[in-house]
Amino acid sequence: MIIPKPLVEQAQDGDFSFADELSVYLAFQKDPGYSFFVADELSQRLRVATGCFVTIRDGDPGDAHGVIVLTDSDTPDDLGEEGYTITVTPDRITLSASHNAGLFYAGQSFDQLLHHQRSTQNTTAGRNGESTIPSLPCVTIQDKPRFGWRGFMLDSARHFQSTELIVQLIDQLAALKLNRLHWHLTDDQGWRLEILGYPKLTSVGAWRSNGQSNPEDGTGRATREQGGRDRGRYGGYYTQEQVREIVAYAKHRQVTIIPEIDIPSHNLAALAAYPQLACHDGPFEVASEWGLLDGVYCAGQDKTFTFLQNVLTEVARLFPDAPIHLGGDERKPGTWDSCPRCNALRERQGLSDEPALQKWFMDQVAGHIHTTLGRRSITWGDNIDAGGIDGTPGSPGSPGMIIQGWVDGQAGKSAQQGLDTINSTNDWVYFDYPQTPKEHEASYPDWMKTLSTEKVYQFDPIPQGLDPQFHHHILGSEAHLWTEFVPDEAQLYHQIMPRLFAFSEALWSPIAHRDYEDFTRRLSIQQPLVHPKSPA
Ligand code: ACM
Ligand code: ZN
């Protein structure tokens, strides 16, 4: 019934009947405050689904009948931090986990059980005439994920999303037990994060001309005063206060938000604000077109690195528990070759070509993240392809750096070198691609591939042929939504649904348990569970 499919779900005889009043007991010693949060959310859903009057009570219920218990006793050790059990007997309902994440996921699964019951069983009229369920069939569930890194990447640079939409998306991720939101906050087309030390990044870099050259933007809707179209320009940004709120909201729902500040390329927006960071005199404009553009930071001057260190220090404060993504993809060749400062640096450092300079550049900045900020960094697999990140001891960027493969072959190559790796190979997880050939033909660029829900469902993050001794370096995956052609909320949901459901199961459930037909049956019931607001 549940998506992603639990490790073990066994129907049992009998039903748990809902009386008019229902008590939810908190016997979760590890973190009573957090268990109250889970119980409170659960209570709201129970009220709607059952029509019961629900009360949350502290402590062990003893022999009480007809109650719900949240507990951290008796959870099998091998379920890990995200694992949980649910037991529904005629007597009581027990949600059990050894850690907060597991308890939260027990709550999400229980919510789906309620939803399934409401969708498929005869309901009775509740007090206010709404349909409610009188009982829940007995069941035992034991669950834990296959991969720990289950993410979604959202590009807020090419098109800007309202904070309301981001929050709604976090709810969607949490309901599917996805635990990372990788937030692509900077690119040629917009800088979206307020940085106090460099106010022009957003006063200048967050806005682009909404001119004829970029007709897609005509549909970008203004969703709050900072976002959308405004006097012929398009853009928006997130204030630090908004970001802190979003990060805290996500954390409660077991979602870690990973900021991406893309270097050394994809930076026309930053250069429009601070042209002195470039190799050549500007002027630069925030891009109103897509593609491989000229926004490359100059590697041959100290002020570039001072700027990046200051920016990343602010970023690290805003995202206190997260690794920091440094991008590193798609540098347009030639910019550094034609810069006297970059050439002088190459001479001094003995760097033979631009890829060697890129490795040096990434190492400088990653070194700051590891050494000064005490975080892990992440970079795109381009750095592996260029022979860039080699895990060499003494290379300041390498210890702890995570590689995110997006081109076929990068993830395997990275894991084979003993580097922790996220496998986001585009053929399997790029949700900006169309879902059917017909859709592709009608309205998507030729260079995109077609990615069906079934193909996403069949995805195995372990690259074919990877020696088993390196499998543990594949941390998991992230599905990606680049938003060049995703101007609004309706299009966003069109791109991610229902592929996000398939992706969650591909990351959570063992391959041997996967069955696409069975998945589509469950999907037809659960899909309305997490639904977008209908577009205005
Ligand atoms: C990417 O798709 N440029 C990471
Ligand atoms: Zn330069």
Side-chain angles (χ1 to χ4, degrees):
M1 290 179 224
I2 293 167
I3 298 175
K5 187 176 188 152
L7 201 55
V8 181
E9 179 176 358
Q10 279 168 343
Q12 307 289 346
D13 290 338
D15 295 278
F16 177 94
S17 296
F18 294 105
D20 288 347
E21 295 189 13
L22 182 62
S23 293
V24 178
Y25 281 87
L26 305 183
F28 189 79
Q29 307 300 334
K30 187 175 178 66
D31 190 343
Y34 190 76
S35 71
F36 181 84
F37 162 72
V38 173
D40 192 41
E41 293 233 311
L42 206 63
S43 301
Q44 293 169 33
R45 292 165 184 163
L46 277 163
R47 280 180 200 116
V48 174
T50 68
C52 290
F53 184 83
V54 184
T55 310
I56 299 175
R57 299 177 194 282
D58 275 331
D60 199 285
D63 301 331
H65 292 275
V67 299
I68 298 187
V69 188
L70 274 46
T71 179
D72 54 359
S73 59
D74 305 331
T75 318
D77 287 340
D78 61 354
L79 293 182
E81 296 199 359
E82 296 186 302
Y84 66 91
T85 65
I86 296 176
T87 318
V88 179
T89 70
D91 230 23
R92 71 170 53 173
I93 295 171
T94 308
L95 277 58
S96 162
S98 57
H99 289 76
N100 290 359
L103 190 69
F104 180 77
Y105 290 146
Q108 299 306 309
S109 287
F110 186 70
D111 189 32
Q112 291 197 24
L113 291 179
L114 291 176
H115 180 83
H116 181 273
Q117 188 69 358
R118 273 186 109 194
S119 306
T120 57
Q121 302 296 306
N122 289 330
T123 51
T124 53
R127 266 188 295 277
N128 303 318
E130 75 281 26
S131 63
T132 56
I133 51 171
S135 64
L136 200 60
C138 293
V139 68
T140 53
I141 294 173
Q142 263 201 31
D143 203 8
K144 68 172 181 179
R146 180 175 175 216
F147 291 99
W149 195 292
R150 305 179 303 278
F152 178 75
M153 189 220 70
L154 178 66
D155 168 10
S156 292
R158 273 54 175 270
H159 282 99
F160 177 79
Q161 300 86 24
S162 67
T163 52
E164 290 83 352
L165 180 52
I166 305 280
V167 164
Q168 197 181 71
L169 186 63
I170 290 166
D171 285 338
Q172 304 263 0
L173 300 180
L176 292 172
K177 305 187 179 82
L178 295 168
N179 61 5
R180 302 281 192 284
L181 174 61
H182 164 180
W183 206 358
H184 186 76
L185 285 164
T186 67
D187 216 301
D188 294 313
Q189 294 80 7
W191 183 288
R192 303 282 175 235
L193 178 63
E194 179 183 34
I195 299 293
L196 301 177
Y198 298 92
K200 282 204 231 168
L201 285 172
T202 44
S203 66
V204 174
W207 304 95
R208 63 183 182 239
S209 95
N210 195 17
Q212 310 308 320
S213 64
N214 198 7
E216 293 86 4
D217 276 350
T219 49
R221 286 184 297 140
T223 40
R224 53 183 302 139
E225 72 278 10
Q226 288 161 318
R229 281 176 295 156
D230 166 29
R231 283 172 281 131
R233 41 180 218 169
Y234 174 90
Y237 65 92
Y238 307 101
T239 65
Q240 294 207 351
E241 190 180 339
Q242 287 173 328
V243 168
R244 273 190 287 271
E245 274 178 31
I246 290 172
V247 167
Y249 184 90
K251 183 176 175 169
H252 250 74
R253 288 153 185 84
Q254 304 300 327
V255 175
T256 301
I257 303 190
I258 294 156
E260 182 186 350
I261 304 296
D262 202 347
I263 61 164
S265 280
H266 285 281
N267 273 299
L268 276 178
L271 298 184
Y274 297 100
Q276 60 271 36
L277 300 172
C279 286
H280 305 284
D281 289 343
F284 298 92
E285 275 186 24
V286 183
S288 295
E289 71 223 17
W290 325 121
L292 196 60
L293 305 174
D294 276 328
V296 185
Y297 289 126
C298 181
Q301 54 179 10
D302 290 345
K303 63 183 164 205
T304 299
F305 297 98
T306 306
F307 165 81
L308 288 173
Q309 287 178 8
N310 290 340
V311 166
L312 290 167
T313 300
E314 284 196 38
V315 169
R317 271 191 220 121
L318 289 170
F319 299 89
D321 302 319
I324 295 173
H325 203 305
L326 291 175
D329 58 327
E330 299 181 313
R331 181 182 40 76
K332 188 175 176 181
T335 312
W336 285 339
D337 269 343
S338 60
C339 170
R341 288 191 303 266
C342 286
N343 281 321
L345 172 82
R346 265 165 55 181
E347 193 118 321
R348 285 200 302 279
Q349 297 289 338
L351 303 167
S352 57
D353 53 13
E354 283 196 337
L357 181 53
Q358 164 127 355
K359 171 177 164 45
W360 183 88
F361 191 110
M362 299 307 290
D363 272 355
Q364 300 311 301
V365 184
H368 175 73
I369 290 188
H370 296 300
T371 311
T372 309
L373 302 175
R375 301 290 176 84
R376 296 185 85 175
S377 62
I378 307 174
T379 71
W380 294 114
D382 304 49
N383 298 298
I384 281 283
D385 271 348
I389 307 299
D390 53 13
T392 317
S395 171
S398 296
M401 184 182 275
I402 298 167
I403 300 296
Q404 183 162 25
W406 64 282
V407 174
D408 193 25
Q410 289 174 343
K413 209 152 132 188
S414 163
Q416 194 84 27
Q417 289 181 27
L419 299 167
D420 283 349
T421 302
I422 304 159
N423 183 358
S424 291
T425 304
N426 66 85
D427 305 63
W428 299 94
V429 299
Y430 267 40
F431 286 5
D432 44 322
Y433 293 170
Q435 312 213 23
T436 64
K438 200 167 152 199
E439 215 180 54
H440 197 170
E441 209 171 300
S443 56
Y444 288 76
D446 286 345
W447 55 263
M448 286 189 174
K449 301 163 189 170
T450 299
L451 178 58
S452 66
T453 301
E454 182 164 7
K455 179 159 182 179
V456 175
Y457 190 77
Q458 307 302 352
F459 176 49
D460 182 359
I462 302 289
Q464 274 207 334
L466 180 65
D467 191 319
Q469 67 169 307
F470 298 112
H471 284 192
H472 69 281
H473 283 299
I474 300 290
L475 306 180
S477 178
E478 290 173 3
H480 288 174
L481 187 66
W482 301 103
T483 59
E484 286 95 330
F485 307 102
V486 186
D488 57 26
E489 182 174 346
Q491 191 65 35
L492 185 145
Y493 280 106
H494 177 80
Q495 297 301 133
I496 69 175
M497 295 303 178
R499 291 186 287 200
L500 198 64
F501 283 75
F503 180 74
S504 78
E505 193 147 312
L507 270 289
W508 183 277
S509 311
I511 290 191
H513 291 201
R514 282 193 242 160
D515 172 343
Y516 188 64
E517 263 183 48
D518 173 60
F519 167 75
T520 54
R521 255 193 313 277
R522 281 176 287 128
L523 181 65
S524 65
I525 294 164
Q526 294 296 5
Q527 193 167 2
L529 172 72
V530 266
H531 51 82
K533 284 182 291 200
S534 44

Coordinates of all heavy atoms in Angstrom, one line a residue, residues 289-358:
E289 N 19.4 34.1 -21.5 CA 19.3 33.0 -22.4 C 20.0 31.8 -21.7 O 20.7 32.0 -20.7 CB 20.1 33.3 -23.7 CG 21.5 33.4 -23.5 CD 22.2 34.6 -24.3 OE1 21.5 35.5 -24.7 OE2 23.4 34.6 -24.4
W290 N 19.9 30.6 -22.3 CA 20.4 29.4 -21.6 C 21.6 29.0 -22.4 O 21.8 29.4 -23.6 CB 19.4 28.3 -21.6 CG 18.0 28.7 -21.4 CD1 16.9 28.5 -22.3 CD2 17.4 29.4 -20.3 NE1 15.8 29.0 -21.8 CE2 16.0 29.6 -20.6 CE3 18.0 29.9 -19.1 CZ2 15.2 30.2 -19.7 CZ3 17.1 30.5 -18.2 CH2 15.7 30.7 -18.5
G291 N 22.4 28.1 -21.9 CA 23.6 27.5 -22.6 C 24.9 27.7 -21.9 O 24.9 28.1 -20.7
L292 N 26.0 27.3 -22.6 CA 27.3 27.4 -22.0 C 27.8 28.8 -22.2 O 28.2 29.2 -23.3 CB 28.2 26.4 -22.8 CG 29.5 26.1 -22.1 CD1 29.3 25.4 -20.8 CD2 30.3 25.1 -23.0
L293 N 27.8 29.6 -21.1 CA 28.1 31.1 -21.2 C 29.4 31.4 -20.6 O 30.2 30.6 -20.2 CB 26.9 31.8 -20.6 CG 25.5 31.5 -21.1 CD1 24.4 32.1 -20.3 CD2 25.4 31.8 -22.6
D294 N 29.7 32.7 -20.6 CA 31.1 33.2 -20.3 C 31.3 33.5 -18.8 O 32.3 34.1 -18.5 CB 31.3 34.5 -21.0 CG 31.8 34.2 -22.4 OD1 32.5 33.2 -22.6 OD2 31.5 35.0 -23.4
G295 N 30.4 33.1 -17.9 CA 30.5 33.6 -16.5 C 31.6 32.8 -15.7 O 31.2 32.0 -14.8
V296 N 32.9 33.0 -15.9 CA 33.9 32.3 -15.2 C 34.7 33.3 -14.3 O 35.1 34.4 -14.8 CB 34.9 31.7 -16.3 CG1 35.9 30.8 -15.5 CG2 34.2 30.9 -17.3
Y297 N 34.9 32.9 -13.1 CA 35.7 33.7 -12.1 C 37.1 33.6 -12.6 O 37.6 32.6 -13.0 CB 35.6 33.1 -10.7 CG 34.3 33.3 -10.0 CD1 33.6 32.2 -9.5 CD2 33.7 34.6 -9.9 CE1 32.4 32.4 -8.8 CE2 32.5 34.8 -9.2 CZ 31.9 33.7 -8.7 OH 30.7 33.8 -8.0
C298 N 37.8 34.7 -12.3 CA 39.3 34.8 -12.6 C 40.0 34.0 -11.5 O 39.8 34.2 -10.3 CB 39.8 36.2 -12.6 SG 41.6 36.3 -13.0
A299 N 40.9 33.0 -11.9 CA 41.6 32.2 -10.9 C 42.9 32.9 -10.5 O 43.5 32.5 -9.5 CB 41.9 30.9 -11.5
G300 N 43.3 33.9 -11.3 CA 44.7 34.5 -11.1 C 44.7 35.7 -10.1 O 45.7 36.5 -10.2
Q301 N 43.8 35.9 -9.3 CA 43.8 37.0 -8.3 C 43.2 36.6 -7.0 O 42.3 35.9 -6.9 CB 43.0 38.2 -8.9 CG 41.6 37.8 -9.3 CD 40.7 38.9 -9.8 OE1 41.3 40.0 -10.1 NE2 39.4 38.7 -10.0
D302 N 43.9 37.2 -5.9 CA 43.4 36.8 -4.6 C 42.0 37.2 -4.3 O 41.3 36.5 -3.5 CB 44.4 37.5 -3.5 CG 45.8 36.8 -3.6 OD1 45.9 35.7 -4.2 OD2 46.7 37.5 -3.0
K303 N 41.6 38.3 -4.9 CA 40.3 38.8 -4.4 C 39.1 37.9 -4.8 O 38.1 37.9 -4.2 CB 40.0 40.3 -5.0 CG 39.9 40.4 -6.4 CD 39.8 41.9 -6.7 CE 40.1 42.2 -8.2 NZ 40.5 43.6 -8.4
T304 N 39.3 37.1 -5.9 CA 38.3 36.0 -6.2 C 38.1 35.1 -5.0 O 37.0 34.8 -4.6 CB 38.7 35.2 -7.4 OG1 38.8 36.1 -8.5 CG2 37.7 34.1 -7.7
F305 N 39.2 34.7 -4.4 CA 39.1 33.7 -3.3 C 38.7 34.3 -2.0 O 38.0 33.7 -1.2 CB 40.5 33.0 -3.2 CG 40.8 32.2 -4.4 CD1 41.6 32.7 -5.4 CD2 40.2 31.0 -4.7 CE1 41.9 32.0 -6.6 CE2 40.4 30.3 -5.9 CZ 41.2 30.8 -6.8
T306 N 39.1 35.6 -1.8 CA 38.5 36.3 -0.6 C 37.0 36.4 -0.7 O 36.3 36.1 0.3 CB 39.2 37.7 -0.5 OG1 40.6 37.6 -0.6 CG2 38.7 38.4 0.7
F307 N 36.5 36.8 -1.9 CA 35.1 36.9 -2.1 C 34.4 35.5 -1.8 O 33.5 35.4 -1.1 CB 34.8 37.3 -3.6 CG 33.4 37.1 -4.1 CD1 32.4 38.0 -3.8 CD2 33.1 36.0 -4.8 CE1 31.1 37.8 -4.2 CE2 31.8 35.7 -5.3 CZ 30.8 36.7 -5.0
L308 N 35.0 34.4 -2.4 CA 34.3 33.1 -2.3 C 34.4 32.7 -0.8 O 33.4 32.1 -0.3 CB 35.0 32.1 -3.2 CG 34.7 32.3 -4.7 CD1 35.5 31.4 -5.6 CD2 33.2 32.1 -5.0
Q309 N 35.5 32.9 -0.1 CA 35.6 32.5 1.3 C 34.5 33.3 2.1 O 33.9 32.7 3.0 CB 37.0 32.8 1.8 CG 38.0 31.8 1.3 CD 39.4 32.1 1.8 OE1 39.6 32.9 2.6 NE2 40.4 31.4 1.2
N310 N 34.4 34.6 1.9 CA 33.4 35.3 2.6 C 32.0 34.9 2.3 O 31.2 34.7 3.2 CB 33.5 36.8 2.3 CG 34.8 37.4 2.9 OD1 35.4 36.8 3.8 ND2 35.3 38.5 2.3
V311 N 31.7 34.6 1.1 CA 30.3 34.2 0.7 C 30.1 32.8 1.3 O 29.0 32.6 2.0 CB 30.2 34.1 -0.9 CG1 29.0 33.3 -1.2 CG2 30.2 35.5 -1.5
L312 N 31.0 31.9 1.2 CA 30.8 30.5 1.7 C 30.7 30.5 3.3 O 30.0 29.7 3.8 CB 31.9 29.6 1.2 CG 31.7 29.3 -0.3 CD1 33.0 28.7 -0.9 CD2 30.5 28.5 -0.6
T313 N 31.4 31.4 3.9 CA 31.3 31.5 5.4 C 29.9 31.9 5.8 O 29.3 31.3 6.7 CB 32.3 32.5 5.9 OG1 33.6 32.1 5.6 CG2 32.2 32.6 7.4
E314 N 29.3 32.8 5.0 CA 27.8 33.2 5.3 C 26.9 32.0 5.0 O 26.0 31.7 5.7 CB 27.4 34.4 4.5 CG 27.9 35.7 5.0 CD 27.2 36.9 4.5 OE1 25.9 36.8 4.2 OE2 27.8 37.9 4.2
V315 N 27.2 31.3 3.9 CA 26.4 30.2 3.4 C 26.4 29.1 4.5 O 25.4 28.5 4.9 CB 26.9 29.6 2.1 CG1 26.3 28.3 1.8 CG2 26.6 30.6 1.0
A316 N 27.7 28.8 5.0 CA 27.8 27.8 6.0 C 27.0 28.1 7.3 O 26.4 27.2 7.9 CB 29.3 27.6 6.4
R317 N 26.9 29.3 7.6 CA 26.1 29.7 8.8 C 24.6 29.5 8.6 O 23.8 29.1 9.5 CB 26.3 31.2 9.1 CG 27.4 31.4 10.1 CD 27.4 32.9 10.6 NE 28.8 33.3 10.6 CZ 29.3 34.3 10.0 NH1 28.5 35.1 9.3 NH2 30.6 34.6 10.1
L318 N 24.2 29.7 7.3 CA 22.7 29.5 7.0 C 22.3 28.1 6.9 O 21.1 27.8 7.1 CB 22.4 30.2 5.7 CG 22.5 31.7 5.7 CD1 22.4 32.3 4.3 CD2 21.3 32.3 6.6
F319 N 23.3 27.2 6.6 CA 22.9 25.8 6.4 C 23.8 25.0 7.4 O 24.8 24.4 6.9 CB 23.2 25.4 4.9 CG 22.3 26.2 4.0 CD1 22.8 27.4 3.4 CD2 21.1 25.7 3.6 CE1 22.0 28.1 2.5 CE2 20.3 26.4 2.7 CZ 20.7 27.6 2.1
P320 N 23.5 25.0 8.7 CA 24.5 24.6 9.7 C 24.8 23.1 9.6 O 25.9 22.7 10.1 CB 23.9 25.0 11.0 CG 22.4 25.2 10.7 CD 22.3 25.6 9.3
D321 N 24.0 22.3 9.1 CA 24.3 20.8 9.2 C 24.7 20.2 7.9 O 24.8 19.0 7.7 CB 23.0 20.1 9.7 CG 22.5 20.6 11.0 OD1 23.4 20.9 11.9 OD2 21.3 20.7 11.2
A322 N 24.9 21.0 6.9 CA 25.0 20.5 5.5 C 26.4 20.5 4.9 O 27.1 21.5 5.2 CB 24.0 21.3 4.6
P323 N 26.7 19.6 4.0 CA 27.8 19.7 3.1 C 27.5 20.9 2.2 O 26.3 21.3 2.1 CB 27.9 18.4 2.3 CG 26.8 17.6 2.8 CD 25.9 18.3 3.8
I324 N 28.5 21.4 1.5 CA 28.3 22.6 0.6 C 28.7 22.1 -0.8 O 29.8 21.6 -1.0 CB 29.1 23.8 1.1 CG1 28.5 24.2 2.5 CG2 29.0 24.9 0.1 CD1 29.3 25.3 3.1
H325 N 27.8 22.4 -1.7 CA 28.0 22.0 -3.1 C 28.7 23.1 -3.8 O 28.2 24.2 -3.8 CB 26.7 21.6 -3.8 CG 26.8 20.7 -4.9 ND1 27.6 21.0 -6.0 CD2 26.2 19.5 -5.2 CE1 27.4 20.0 -6.9 NE2 26.6 19.1 -6.4
L326 N 29.8 22.8 -4.5 CA 30.6 23.8 -5.2 C 30.5 23.8 -6.7 O 31.2 24.5 -7.4 CB 32.1 23.7 -4.8 CG 32.5 24.0 -3.4 CD1 33.9 23.7 -3.1 CD2 32.2 25.5 -3.1
G327 N 29.5 23.0 -7.1 CA 29.4 22.9 -8.6 C 30.6 22.4 -9.3 O 31.0 21.3 -9.1
G328 N 31.2 23.2 -10.2 CA 32.4 22.8 -10.9 C 32.1 22.2 -12.2 O 32.9 21.5 -12.9
D329 N 30.8 22.4 -12.7 CA 30.4 21.8 -14.0 C 30.6 22.8 -15.2 O 30.6 24.0 -14.9 CB 29.0 21.3 -14.0 CG 28.0 22.4 -13.6 OD1 28.4 23.3 -12.8 OD2 26.9 22.4 -14.1
E330 N 30.8 22.3 -16.3 CA 30.6 23.0 -17.6 C 31.3 24.3 -17.7 O 30.7 25.3 -18.0 CB 29.1 23.2 -17.8 CG 28.3 22.0 -17.9 CD 26.8 22.2 -18.2 OE1 26.2 23.1 -17.5 OE2 26.2 21.6 -19.0
R331 N 32.6 24.3 -17.4 CA 33.4 25.5 -17.6 C 33.7 25.7 -19.1 O 34.1 24.8 -19.8 CB 34.7 25.4 -16.8 CG 35.6 26.7 -17.0 CD 36.9 26.5 -16.2 NE 37.5 25.1 -16.4 CZ 38.1 24.7 -17.5 NH1 38.2 25.5 -18.5 NH2 38.5 23.4 -17.6
K332 N 33.3 26.9 -19.6 CA 33.6 27.2 -21.0 C 35.1 27.3 -21.2 O 35.7 28.2 -20.6 CB 32.8 28.5 -21.4 CG 32.8 28.7 -22.9 CD 32.0 29.9 -23.2 CE 32.1 30.3 -24.6 NZ 31.3 31.4 -24.9
P333 N 35.6 26.5 -22.1 CA 37.1 26.5 -22.3 C 37.5 27.8 -22.9 O 36.8 28.4 -23.7 CB 37.4 25.4 -23.2 CG 36.2 24.5 -23.2 CD 35.0 25.4 -22.9
G334 N 38.7 28.3 -22.6 CA 39.3 29.4 -23.3 C 39.4 30.7 -22.5 O 40.3 31.5 -22.7
T335 N 38.5 30.9 -21.5 CA 38.5 32.2 -20.8 C 39.8 32.3 -20.0 O 40.4 33.4 -20.1 CB 37.3 32.2 -19.8 OG1 36.1 31.8 -20.5 CG2 37.1 33.6 -19.2
W336 N 40.2 31.3 -19.3 CA 41.4 31.4 -18.5 C 42.7 31.5 -19.4 O 43.6 32.1 -19.1 CB 41.6 30.2 -17.6 CG 40.7 30.3 -16.4 CD1 40.1 31.4 -15.9 CD2 40.2 29.2 -15.6 NE1 39.3 31.1 -14.7 CE2 39.4 29.7 -14.5 CE3 40.5 27.8 -15.6 CZ2 38.8 28.9 -13.5 CZ3 39.9 27.0 -14.6 CH2 39.1 27.6 -13.6
D337 N 42.6 30.7 -20.6 CA 43.8 30.7 -21.5 C 44.1 32.1 -22.0 O 45.3 32.4 -22.3 CB 43.4 29.8 -22.7 CG 43.9 28.4 -22.5 OD1 44.7 28.2 -21.6 OD2 43.4 27.5 -23.2
S338 N 43.1 33.0 -22.1 CA 43.3 34.3 -22.6 C 43.5 35.4 -21.5 O 43.5 36.5 -21.8 CB 42.2 34.7 -23.6 OG 41.0 34.7 -22.8
C339 N 43.7 34.9 -20.3 CA 43.9 35.9 -19.2 C 45.3 35.9 -18.7 O 45.8 34.9 -18.3 CB 42.9 35.5 -18.0 SG 43.2 36.5 -16.5
P340 N 46.0 37.1 -18.8 CA 47.4 37.2 -18.3 C 47.5 36.8 -16.8 O 48.5 36.1 -16.5 CB 47.7 38.7 -18.5 CG 46.7 39.2 -19.4 CD 45.4 38.4 -19.3
R341 N 46.6 37.2 -16.0 CA 46.7 36.8 -14.5 C 46.6 35.3 -14.3 O 47.4 34.7 -13.6 CB 45.6 37.5 -13.7 CG 45.8 39.0 -13.6 CD 44.9 39.6 -12.5 NE 43.5 39.3 -12.8 CZ 42.7 40.1 -13.5 NH1 43.1 41.3 -13.9 NH2 41.4 39.8 -13.7
C342 N 45.7 34.7 -15.0 CA 45.5 33.3 -14.9 C 46.8 32.5 -15.5 O 47.2 31.5 -14.9 CB 44.3 32.8 -15.6 SG 42.8 33.2 -14.7
N343 N 47.3 33.0 -16.6 CA 48.5 32.4 -17.1 C 49.7 32.6 -16.2 O 50.5 31.6 -16.1 CB 48.8 33.0 -18.5 CG 47.9 32.4 -19.6 OD1 47.6 31.2 -19.5 ND2 47.4 33.2 -20.5
A344 N 49.8 33.7 -15.6 CA 50.9 33.9 -14.6 C 50.8 32.9 -13.5 O 51.8 32.4 -13.0 CB 51.0 35.4 -14.2
L345 N 49.6 32.8 -13.0 CA 49.4 31.8 -11.9 C 49.8 30.4 -12.3 O 50.4 29.7 -11.6 CB 47.9 31.9 -11.5 CG 47.5 30.8 -10.5 CD1 47.9 31.2 -9.0 CD2 46.1 30.4 -10.5
R346 N 49.3 30.0 -13.5 CA 49.6 28.7 -14.0 C 51.1 28.5 -14.1 O 51.6 27.4 -13.7 CB 49.0 28.5 -15.4 CG 47.7 27.8 -15.3 CD 46.9 27.9 -16.6 NE 47.6 27.4 -17.7 CZ 47.1 27.4 -19.0 NH1 45.8 27.8 -19.1 NH2 47.7 26.9 -20.0
E347 N 51.8 29.5 -14.5 CA 53.3 29.4 -14.5 C 53.9 29.2 -13.1 O 54.7 28.3 -12.9 CB 53.8 30.7 -15.1 CG 55.3 30.6 -15.5 CD 55.5 30.8 -17.0 OE1 54.6 30.4 -17.8 OE2 56.4 31.5 -17.4
R348 N 53.4 30.0 -12.2 CA 53.9 29.9 -10.8 C 53.6 28.5 -10.2 O 54.4 28.0 -9.5 CB 53.2 31.0 -9.9 CG 53.7 32.4 -10.1 CD 53.4 33.3 -8.9 NE 52.0 33.4 -8.6 CZ 51.1 34.1 -9.3 NH1 51.5 34.9 -10.3 NH2 49.8 34.2 -8.9
Q349 N 52.4 28.0 -10.5 CA 52.0 26.8 -9.8 C 52.4 25.5 -10.6 O 52.1 24.4 -10.2 CB 50.5 26.8 -9.6 CG 50.0 27.9 -8.6 CD 50.4 27.6 -7.2 OE1 50.7 26.5 -6.8 NE2 50.5 28.7 -6.4
G350 N 52.9 25.7 -11.8 CA 53.2 24.6 -12.7 C 52.0 23.8 -13.2 O 52.0 22.6 -13.2
L351 N 50.9 24.6 -13.5 CA 49.7 23.9 -14.0 C 49.7 24.0 -15.5 O 49.7 25.1 -16.1 CB 48.5 24.7 -13.4 CG 48.5 24.8 -11.8 CD1 47.5 25.8 -11.4 CD2 48.2 23.4 -11.2
S352 N 49.6 22.8 -16.1 CA 49.9 22.7 -17.5 C 48.7 23.2 -18.4 O 49.0 23.8 -19.5 CB 50.2 21.3 -17.9 OG 49.1 20.5 -17.5
D353 N 47.5 23.1 -17.9 CA 46.4 23.5 -18.8 C 45.2 23.9 -18.0 O 45.3 24.0 -16.7 CB 46.0 22.3 -19.8 CG 45.8 21.0 -19.0 OD1 45.6 21.1 -17.7 OD2 45.7 19.9 -19.6
E354 N 44.1 24.3 -18.7 CA 42.9 24.7 -17.9 C 42.3 23.7 -17.0 O 41.9 24.0 -15.9 CB 41.9 25.2 -18.9 CG 42.2 26.6 -19.5 CD 41.0 27.2 -20.2 OE1 40.0 26.5 -20.6 OE2 41.0 28.5 -20.3
P355 N 42.2 22.4 -17.4 CA 41.7 21.4 -16.4 C 42.6 21.4 -15.1 O 42.1 21.2 -14.0 CB 41.8 20.1 -17.2 CG 41.6 20.5 -18.6 CD 42.4 21.8 -18.7
A356 N 43.9 21.5 -15.3 CA 44.8 21.5 -14.1 C 44.5 22.7 -13.3 O 44.5 22.6 -12.0 CB 46.3 21.5 -14.5
L357 N 44.2 23.8 -13.9 CA 43.9 25.0 -13.2 C 42.5 24.9 -12.5 O 42.4 25.3 -11.3 CB 43.9 26.3 -14.1 CG 43.6 27.6 -13.5 CD1 44.5 27.9 -12.3 CD2 43.7 28.7 -14.5
Q358 N 41.6 24.2 -13.1 CA 40.3 24.0 -12.5 C 40.5 23.2 -11.2 O 39.9 23.4 -10.2 CB 39.3 23.3 -13.5 CG 38.1 22.7 -12.7 CD 36.8 23.1 -13.3 OE1 36.7 23.9 -14.2 NE2 35.7 22.5 -12.7

